[in-house]
Amino acid sequence: MVLNSNKEVKLYYSIKEVAAMFGLNESTLRFWEKEFPQLKPKTVSSTKVRQYTKTDIECIKKINSLLRVRGFRIAAAKKMLAQDPDGVDRNAEILEKLIQVRDELKALKKQLGDME
């Protein structure tokens, strides 16, 4: 039997942890659960505590990208996720890379401006 030596890996995350990851309110996550059928965290029946998995977090990442980064309305984001969920992933990755390149270019511009 092989033991998992990676202590960083968690099976479940609380709503508070997930909200902090994305800079959201807990109420926003609860609202998204109602609006997006893809997002269904496990709920412990006795305490009604939500438990988010890595899959749920990936779904939240897609929703966050569509709504907050790209500025889609909820209806358009629902349609995008329903029609082409893999396309949303690719677009989010491309957008993240473009943002990194932009930030690097800004830093270079500032360095060049300081040299003059």
Side-chain angles (χ1 to χ4, degrees):
M1 185 168 114
V2 179
L3 293 176
N4 185 358
S5 61
N6 187 355
K7 301 289 184 196
E8 298 282 325
V9 176
K10 289 178 70 171
L11 294 178
Y12 299 105
Y13 296 83
S14 70
I15 192 169
K16 188 174 186 175
E17 291 172 314
V18 175
M21 284 180 201
F22 293 96
L24 300 169
N25 293 324
E26 294 172 23
S27 60
T28 301
L29 287 175
R30 287 189 287 272
F31 175 73
W32 286 358
E33 288 171 24
K34 292 176 186 171
E35 292 295 320
F36 296 93
Q38 301 90 340
L39 183 58
K40 292 292 179 208
K42 180 181 172 188
T43 306
V44 178
S45 60
S46 61
T47 60
K48 304 228 178 184
V49 173
R50 289 170 171 82
Q51 295 179 328
Y52 293 87
T53 63
K54 287 283 187 187
T55 305
D56 295 323
I57 292 172
E58 287 301 315
C59 184
I60 293 168
K61 184 177 180 182
K62 291 177 192 178
I63 294 168
N64 188 56
S65 173
L66 289 170
L67 296 178
R68 298 181 82 213
V69 176
R70 296 175 63 192
F72 280 50
R73 295 186 184 260
I74 289 178
K78 281 183 188 179
K79 189 174 181 181
M80 286 279 296
L81 284 172
Q83 288 179 346
D84 189 15
D86 294 331
V88 173
D89 279 340
R90 286 190 302 277
N91 289 340
E93 289 173 16
I94 291 169
L95 186 60
E96 284 179 27
K97 289 186 191 277
L98 287 172
I99 290 170
Q100 288 174 349
V101 169
R102 180 196 65 196
D103 292 343
E104 289 174 15
L105 288 172
K106 283 182 178 180
L108 284 172
K109 182 179 177 183
K110 184 177 179 189
Q111 287 178 353
L112 289 173
D114 291 344
M115 292 176 140
E116 295 177 35

